[in-house]
Amino acid sequence: MTKHLPVVIVGGGPVGLAAAAELYEKNEKFVLMEAGNGPGTNFLDYGHVRLFSPWKYNINKAAERLLNKHELPLPDPEKLPLGMDIVTEYLQPLVDLPEIKPNIFFGSRVVHISRKGFDKVKSKGRHNAPFQIMTEGVDGKRSTVEAKAVIDATGTWNQPNTLVPGGDMAAEGKLSRLSYSIPDGKNGRSSMYINSNTAVVGSGHSAMQSILELLKIQEVYPKTTISWIHRKSSTVDALGGGSRDQLPARGDLGSRIKEAWNSGKIILYEAFDIELVNETEEQLILSGKQNNEPSEKGPFDYIICNTGSRPSFHFLEEIRWDRDAALECVPALAPLIDPNIHSCGTVRPHGEKELRQPEENVYIIGAKSYGRAPTFLLATGYEQARSVAAYIAGDKAEAAEVHLDLPETGVCSTASAGARPLTIAVSNSCCS
């Protein structure tokens, strides 16, 4: 009953568009819905930031073949792109291709997905019913399209974790001096940080990028004070693998932060667990515990919160989907990416089989498949898209042949206490 219907892809970022290119190659009809007014709009939020992975890891193979077919130039595979380059040099040329453009609908936010004629409870005959995807346009008008399968590649951007672990985002959102974005150290939009006392909270790559941008301001305006706050007991663990990292720019990120820290350009507060944030006299004060002792940090003029992101599942509520209780990732991936277990920046190979949802022909791929885990790379999402598209097209053998060769971080530890059981048979590992 549904064979003639398209596959609906939700999300027009790199992974969603990779799924589109893969489906096109397999002669599968597709429709892509994107809430933004163009491809990869999230990348423009940090368009000034240079990525640490070169172009060879950021371009999907099926998309590359399409671009080559039209003799369009491709970036140097060894060059490091800026966030904006991902859009201007790759995604925009891709969506302008005649094979892709007619099936892309920008300004179409997906607000609801269901099985036609079925609520979430009813089972008999369910797998034969088409999906109904309701979208809302920029004018507020709603429309519905039917599909035989759904690929959710909406990611986690613009859905930040809270400054206070387990805190209330609605309350934090009222703090005018709290930001969740990476500043631009060479752009006037970040002028508020000039000669300010600013704290960056978080221990991942985004937090370190924010510090590097603030250091650019500090070079010109020496009165700018930068504090780095995180809850890791050892800052060395947060800095990464340095020269051991197979992505030199990723290793260099931590090395540059370490150099600034050693030279006194950064004030460091490690092992600090934030419990409360207060705004007083146009400044912010953090209360909590440092090494299990009561402590207070600040006052700060501004706080930049880079504590990661989380997925949203609001439009999936009427179909059968599942997530890991802790990470909110696709359940089968949890043992591979749980930061409570290991610190690897790579992940064991996985594909369509691991990404299946309880609702047949529904898949969550890309950063959203990782939930709150912080180690996602675009190359992982591209392999997910390839495997899922192959399965939908009926090529189960190709779907099972998962190929994932990611550069390792040079830092990898495994925690045995309370570790989750591994349920996926794999041929290689990022952890020993």
Side-chain angles (χ1 to χ4, degrees), residues 392-414:
I392 291 173
D395 193 339
K396 296 182 180 180
E398 183 185 340
E401 292 179 2
V402 182
H403 310 284
L404 189 61
D405 183 19
L406 296 178
E408 297 195 13
T409 62
V411 176
C412 202
S413 62
T414 303

Side-chain angles (χ1 to χ4, degrees), residues 59 62 91 97 106 158-159 205 243 340 419-420:
I59 296 181
L91 298 182
L97 296 179
F106 295 118
N158 285 326
Q159 293 148 198
H205 297 121
S243 61
N340 293 297
R420 307 179 187 216

Side-chain angles (χ1 to χ4, degrees), residues 37 56 82 88 97 128 140 147 149 161 172 175 187 191 232 244 290 305 341 364 389 408 415 423:
N37 59 6
K56 63 184 178 182
L82 294 171
T88 59
L97 296 179
N128 289 322
N161 289 328
E172 286 190 7
L175 300 173
N187 189 293
S191 60
K232 284 184 177 292
R244 300 186 306 276
Q290 187 170 22
C305 176
I341 299 172
I364 296 175
E408 297 195 13
T423 57

Side-chain angles (χ1 to χ4, degrees), residues 110-128:
V110 172
V111 294
H112 187 74
I113 300 177
S114 63
R115 288 275 194 180
K116 186 176 183 178
F118 286 76
D119 61 20
K120 196 169 188 174
V121 176
K122 185 179 178 181
S123 296
K124 186 177 180 180
R126 185 179 190 86
H127 67 282
N128 289 322

Side-chain angles (χ1 to χ4, degrees), residues 274-287:
I274 301 171
E275 296 178 345
L276 184 67
V277 55
N278 284 315
E279 188 167 24
T280 175
E281 297 181 357
E282 296 187 343
Q283 288 185 309
L284 297 171
I285 298 174
L286 297 176
S287 301

Side-chain angles (χ1 to χ4, degrees), residues 193-195 216-225:
Y193 298 118
I194 292 174
N195 294 327
K216 293 177 184 178
I217 295 175
Q218 191 185 69
E219 288 178 7
V220 182
Y221 301 93
K223 292 183 180 180
T224 303
T225 302

Side-chain angles (χ1 to χ4, degrees), residues 288-340:
K289 291 183 179 178
Q290 187 170 22
N291 294 314
N292 295 319
E293 294 294 328
S295 182
E296 188 173 273
K297 308 300 178 190
F300 301 106
D301 298 318
Y302 298 97
I303 294 177
I304 299 171
C305 176
N306 295 145
T307 55
S309 301
R310 63 184 70 184
S312 173
F313 301 97
H314 67 280
F315 58 79
L316 298 177
E317 293 295 341
E318 201 54 36
I319 58 175
R320 298 173 179 180
W321 58 278
D322 198 9
R323 61 180 173 180
D324 179 73
L327 297 184
E328 297 186 319
C329 65
V330 173
L333 299 187
L336 312 181
I337 61 177
D338 190 339
N340 293 297

